[in-house]
Amino acid sequence: KHKDSMLSIQSSANGNTRNNIANDAINVTVRSMAASSCAMEPMRKRLPGTLKVGRLKILCSRAFGIDVDLMTLHFKAENDPFPTELDDEENPLYYYGVHDGAEILINEIDLEERRKDQERENKEYDRRVKEQERTASMMQDVKKMQEMKANAAITGAQNK
């Protein structure tokens, strides 16, 4: 199966570039889930499968007025309840399996929530470090006690 797909890619690479772009194009519906633009009509576009996620973000930013740096994109296939995050801006749409008729969802990152999450993570990290330091200290105390007992036993055996 892999061999067949590679051969089709190679044969299409030798063909007409204009024809390849037409064959590679997919119809997608882009829907904003962001609070600032969720009431807007979805955007229906015919896009090349080779379009990189970063370029799609720019296109969505212009259409829905969302800052590119605060945008996350997800791809939802039909009958699939769990969308796939398009998390690498350098990957093309076909990398994620975006196909004709797919739906792309736009979300906006909540900066305040992200800050709170970071604070929670920092507190949890500090708690774990303190716990590890306390455990290490207790283990060192136990080792010292064992060494002292061993030395006392050696000294007691030498005195007999």
Side-chain angles (χ1 to χ4, degrees), residues 11-43:
S11 65
S12 67
N14 295 333
N16 185 346
T17 305
R18 184 176 180 164
N19 190 25
N20 285 344
I21 291 174
N23 290 339
D24 185 42
I26 52 178
N27 293 308
V28 297
T29 301
V30 181
R31 185 179 313 276
S32 177
M33 307 304 282
S36 61
S37 59
C38 65
M40 294 176 73
E41 285 294 315
M43 174 177 66

Side-chain angles (χ1 to χ4, degrees), residues 55-81:
R55 298 284 294 162
L56 178 59
K57 280 186 170 185
I58 293 169
L59 182 102
C60 293
S61 174
R62 290 180 184 151
F64 293 99
I66 300 171
D67 186 0
V68 173
D69 295 329
L70 301 178
M71 185 185 303
T72 61
L73 298 179
H74 292 79
F75 149 65
K76 185 174 181 296
E78 289 182 43
N79 302 325
D80 186 3

